[in-house]
Amino acid sequence: MWARSSKWNSNMKSQTKQLSIAYEYIEEDLSNKSPLLLQCNPVHKKIPVLIHSGKPICESSVILEYIEEIWPQNSLLPCDPYERAIARFWIKFADDKGPIVWKICGTRGEERQKVIEESLEMLKTIEEHGLGDKKFFGGDKISMVDIAFGGLAYWPGVIEKVLGRNLLEAHKFPRLHAWTKNFKEVPEIKENLLDFGRLLKRET
């Protein structure tokens, strides 16, 4: 279960498409959480939740890895143990650091400026150490790391509308800027692009 305007919604749907997995999509209204959501995730009471064989799995990175282990036929992680460990490092980085960007819309004044600076530092780290000269984080093909960072392909546009400035400037972050374009052109991603209007309405 996911919310329509959630980046986790898009991430999970993109991975299931990549692995050719059939699924049932249940939309969740976060302003009026359903008994099913509260039953499946009683600890955090939030999305996303994957229900497989009647058992709920919560938290985005946990779900991504669970899908990878249950349906390994089209793996989105490298075969090499070292490369797989590096991929998991960046997936955790996306989980730990990624949410800072989304805080921009909910802050003001000095607090907002601090969040902007932290966000720019995070983007710089990804630009210099995460992507390198690769088309995608995993090379020429999309990987689980790309899916974990999927929100970065959508939210800069929303934040630009809110702030009146673009944080992900092409001359400052040429690799990330190119990656967002490449990422959104992947057919499975393109089919599940988030509704920009809904995102903007939610954050303004």
Side-chain angles (χ1 to χ4, degrees):
M1 57 186 69
W2 298 275
R4 182 175 300 192
S5 60
S6 166
K7 82 184 184 76
W8 306 125
N9 164 14
S10 181
N11 288 358
M12 301 304 121
K13 289 172 74 176
S14 296
Q15 184 173 13
T16 53
K17 288 273 189 178
Q18 284 280 326
L19 299 177
S20 301
I21 301 168
Y23 64 93
E24 178 187 359
Y25 168 70
I26 301 175
E27 188 170 317
E28 183 69 26
D29 180 1
L30 297 182
S31 64
N32 184 25
K33 296 178 181 179
S34 69
L36 181 60
L37 173 60
L38 299 178
Q39 176 187 341
C40 291
N41 192 355
V43 177
H44 297 299
K45 302 179 178 63
K46 64 180 183 179
I47 58 164
V49 176
L50 172 69
I51 303 173
H52 181 233
S53 298
K55 299 175 181 178
I57 299 94
C58 308
E59 297 297 320
S60 59
S61 60
V62 176
I63 292 173
L64 289 173
E65 293 227 18
Y66 179 83
I67 291 173
E68 177 79 16
E69 291 177 5
I70 296 296
W71 293 279
Q73 61 270 25
N74 295 310
S75 179
L76 296 179
L77 282 174
C79 295
D80 179 77
Y82 175 75
E83 293 298 329
R84 188 174 285 244
I86 296 299
R88 287 195 169 108
F89 170 87
W90 286 110
I91 291 168
K92 188 175 188 304
F93 184 93
D95 265 5
D96 292 344
K97 302 293 185 179
I100 189 66
V101 178
W102 329 139
K103 293 181 181 179
I104 292 175
C105 298
T107 55
R108 296 289 184 275
E110 292 183 4
E111 185 181 0
R112 172 177 281 184
Q113 186 56 41
K114 181 181 178 182
V115 173
I116 290 173
E117 290 172 3
E118 290 178 6
S119 298
L120 290 172
E121 186 62 32
M122 178 199 66
L123 294 174
K124 182 181 177 182
T125 298
I126 300 169
E127 173 81 13
E128 295 180 355
H129 303 288
L131 263 173
D133 296 320
K134 297 171 289 188
K135 181 177 181 180
F136 297 109
F137 284 90
D140 292 330
K141 294 182 179 180
I142 193 171
S143 70
M144 194 185 295
V145 182
D146 297 279
I147 293 173
F149 278 113
L152 291 180
Y154 308 102
W155 283 89
V158 176
I159 292 169
E160 182 178 0
K161 289 290 184 180
V162 173
L163 297 181
R165 61 178 285 197
N166 181 13
L167 294 186
L168 194 61
E169 295 177 293
H171 70 282
K172 289 185 178 179
F173 305 104
R175 295 166 177 166
L176 262 178
H177 192 268
W179 171 82
T180 61
K181 292 186 175 181
N182 292 329
F183 181 75
K184 288 189 285 188
E185 286 302 314
V186 175
E188 293 84 355
I189 302 299
K190 205 168 187 177
E191 291 176 16
N192 295 294
L193 286 175
L194 295 176
D195 187 326
F196 184 85
R198 281 177 174 267
L199 285 175
L200 185 58
K201 183 178 180 181
R202 197 180 90 175
E203 298 300 328
T204 56

